[in-house]
């Protein structure tokens, strides 16, 4: 920068149109940028005190900035002065004072400026009403009085400019070698400011920016370098590396091929070309994997591609999206958040962030991110679809909940079923929907379907405690071992007193299921009365008595005799109040010396039917 503009905060509005515009013009003065900067009176609304202090050298008195200042002075009754002084010499403060200005409608073109050594320049204009005009890209001055220039001022020769620029470059090189890339960048920038047509200066700054991981800026410098010198091999090589780091492997390949045209034996370009081809192959494989819903393959391919394209947001977003689809939400959120810290308006990152929340069943927050993504990119199809699914899923689930609370179980079952078809990828929400439908199924006496829905919910989310608890229906269908496994899983996950009690109950039921079921043997319910137990024994004892099957085969006789003994054993326990209580509580009857193998079923039969003559088979 040729001129640094300092504003005294006590007397000047830093954000005024004049302050901002002159600062912009001063900053662009010696960069050779060709652009038009319109100036209107609305930009210059009031009086300001501006202090200009030269940093290195001031711009030429023929530059647009100085001519603009001169023109402003002409329209301000001469109350405008510029003193450009060497900051190391105590000549005095440099001051520019401006009062209310007339309308300025002419545009000003920025042209390449010649530099002057530090000296005192005084500009005083007349009351001309005609603004400066452009002639062949330069500011005309025929309507302005000649500028009074100090006789000590000397123009820098081209050789001096190049020498100074080279000095800055060498200083930049020294800092680069020391790995002080920030300082190296500053000195390369100064070299470019001095000599903006030198391709190597842009190439050096590009190399520095690459070390600072500022690949997009490095790409711009590399491209400028090869525009200035198309035979600049290092420029093409660095441009290719920037393209590759940003994930544009096709453009990178073209750059490396250009390097090989210039230097066919360039080993670095040959290797980089292979790297670009590898990245293109990983992109192809990832595309195929995504179509096949092989998200693990996509993550693998993107990890490999990012090894050579570390700054590629596209690869990172695809990886994050697939991590979300795999249920690895913290990893996906981390990748998306890293991108949003760099670029808070990145629609893809906003979409992935919303997708993670959506899949974690935080639907309201997810919708906010989808909406924000659509604001940034209205044509973002994935964000639009996800937003629509999220809203539909929430609405259908709420309808099902409402129907269930109202006791309309058939409608609730159908609504949960419809909700399950909206988005198969939403694992957590679908797990809840399956569990809800299982609850409704049990109300509708669809016990097998309820168990199956609980199993589906657990398959989707192995940590879903409620699904394990509701699958306790297993015990009602005599699947005791499965029930115990569920409660063991619950207790391992959440070791509460309630879960411990449920586990013990399930273990007891399992233990009871492995002994003889006396109620089943007699064919009565567990709540059967004493009279019902007696009637059941009478019926079963007569049915299986050995005398009744005396003419049957030996095998049948043995089977019926076994059943007869079991009926007698069951009756001896269930007809005794104490034994029945111990049996119902799951205690082993043998623990109290009750050896059920020693009793005689015939004695029980005789006692029940009243002795030897009480009953006989004909």
């Amino acid at each position: 920068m040729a001129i640094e503009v300092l504003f005294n905060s006590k007397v000047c509005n830093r954000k005024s149109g004049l302050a901002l515009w002159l600062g912009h013009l001063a900053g662009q003065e010696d960069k050779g940028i060709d652009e038009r900067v319109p100036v209107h009176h609305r930009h210059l609304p009031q009086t300001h005190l501006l202090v200009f202090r030269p940093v290195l050298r001031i711009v030429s008195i023929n530059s647009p900035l100085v001519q603009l200042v001169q023109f402003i002075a002409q329209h301000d009754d001469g109350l405008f002065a510029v003193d450009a002084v060497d900051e190391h010499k105590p000549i005095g403060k440099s001051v520019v004072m401006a009062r209310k200005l007339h309308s300025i409608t002419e545009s000003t073109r920025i042209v390449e400026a010649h530099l002057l050594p530090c000296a005192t320049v005084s500009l005083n204009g007349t009351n001309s009403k005609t603004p400066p005009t452009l002639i062949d890209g330069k500011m005309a001055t025929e309507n302005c009085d000649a500028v009074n220039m100090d006789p000590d001022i000397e123009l820098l020769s081209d050789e001096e400019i190049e020498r100074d620029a080279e000095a800055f470059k060498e200083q930049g090189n020294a800092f680069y070698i020391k790995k002080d890339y920030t300082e190296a960048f500053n000195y390369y920038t100064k070299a470019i400011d001095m000599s903006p047509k030198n391709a190597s200066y842009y190439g050096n700054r590009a190399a520095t920016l690459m070390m600072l991981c500022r690949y997009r800026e490095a790409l711009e410098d590399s491209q400028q370098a090869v525009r200035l010198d198309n035979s600049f091999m290092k420029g093409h090589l660095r441009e290719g590396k920037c393209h590759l780091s940003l994930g544009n492997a096709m453009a990178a390949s073209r750059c490396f091929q250009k390097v090989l045209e210039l230097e066919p034996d360039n080993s670095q370009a040959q290797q980089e070309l292979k790297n670009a081809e590898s990245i293109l192959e990983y992109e192809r494989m990832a595309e195929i994997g995504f179509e096949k819903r092989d998200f693990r393959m996509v993550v693998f391919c993107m990890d490999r591609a990012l090894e050579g394209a570390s700054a590629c947001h596209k690869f990172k977003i695809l990886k994050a999206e697939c991590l979300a689809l795999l249920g690895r939400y913290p990893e996906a959120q981390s990748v998306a958040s890293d991108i949003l810290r760099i670029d808070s308006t990145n629609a893809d990152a906003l979409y992935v962030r919303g997708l993670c929340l959506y899949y974690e069943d935080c639907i309201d927050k997810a919708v906010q991110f989808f909406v924000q993504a659509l604001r940034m990119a209205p044509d973002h199809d994935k964000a639009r679809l996800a937003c629509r699914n999220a809203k539909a899923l929430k609405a259908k689930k709420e309808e099902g909940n409402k129907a269930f609370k109202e006791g309309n179980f058939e409608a609730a079952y159908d609504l949960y079923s419809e909700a399950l078809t909206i988005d198969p990828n939403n694992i957590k929400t679908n797990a809840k929907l399956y569990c809800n439908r299982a609850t409704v199924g049990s109300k509708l006496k669809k016990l097998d379907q309820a168990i199956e829905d609980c199993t589906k919910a657990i398959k989707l989310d192995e940590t879903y405690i409620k699904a394990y608890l509701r699958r306790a229906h297993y015990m009602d269908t005599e699947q005791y071992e499965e029930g115990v496994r569920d409660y063991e899983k619950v207790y391992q996950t959440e070791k509460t007193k309630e879960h411990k009690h449920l586990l013990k109950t399930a273990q007891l039921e399992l233990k009871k299921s492995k002994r003889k079921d006396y109620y089943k043997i007699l064919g009565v319910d567990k709540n059967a009365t004493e009279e019902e137990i007696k009637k059941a024994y009478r019926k079963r004892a007569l049915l299986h008595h050995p005398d009744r099957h005396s003419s049957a085969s030996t095998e049948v006789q043995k089977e019926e005799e076994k059943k007869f003994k079991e009926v007698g054993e069951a009756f001896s326990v269930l007809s005794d109040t104490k034994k029945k209580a111990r049996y119902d509580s799951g205690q082993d009857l043998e623990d109290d010396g009750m050896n059920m193998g020693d009793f005689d079923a015939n004695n029980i039969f005789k006692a029940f039917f009243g002795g030897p003559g009480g009953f006989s088979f004909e």
Side-chain angles (χ1 to χ4, degrees), residues 425-442:
N425 292 323
N426 196 320
I427 294 173
K428 287 206 171 183
T429 302
N430 287 344
K432 292 180 179 180
L433 288 170
Y434 275 121
C435 196
N436 288 359
R437 195 172 73 172
T439 303
V440 178
S442 66

Side-chain angles (χ1 to χ4, degrees), residues 1-7 26 50-59 65 82-89 92-96 118-119:
M1 184 184 294
I3 290 184
E4 181 180 354
V5 184
L6 304 178
F7 302 111
L50 311 181
V51 180
F52 284 61
R53 178 168 58 82
V55 178
L56 297 173
R57 307 180 187 281
I58 72 163
V59 293
L65 177 59
V82 177
D83 291 324
V85 300
D86 189 328
E87 60 179 335
H88 300 295
K89 295 180 181 180
K93 293 183 179 179
S94 304
V95 178
V96 176
C118 296

Side-chain angles (χ1 to χ4, degrees), residues 368-381:
Q368 292 176 8
F369 275 93
F370 294 144
V371 170
Q372 192 175 353
L374 289 169
R375 287 199 191 103
M376 299 300 107
D379 296 330
H380 202 296
D381 293 333

Side-chain angles (χ1 to χ4, degrees), residues 543-562:
L543 180 64
H544 299 298
H545 196 282
D547 292 349
R548 190 183 186 106
H549 304 283
S550 59
S551 60
S553 65
T554 303
E555 291 181 357
V556 172
Q557 288 181 5
K558 288 182 178 180
E559 181 65 26
E560 293 298 325
E561 184 177 356
K562 178 182 177 183

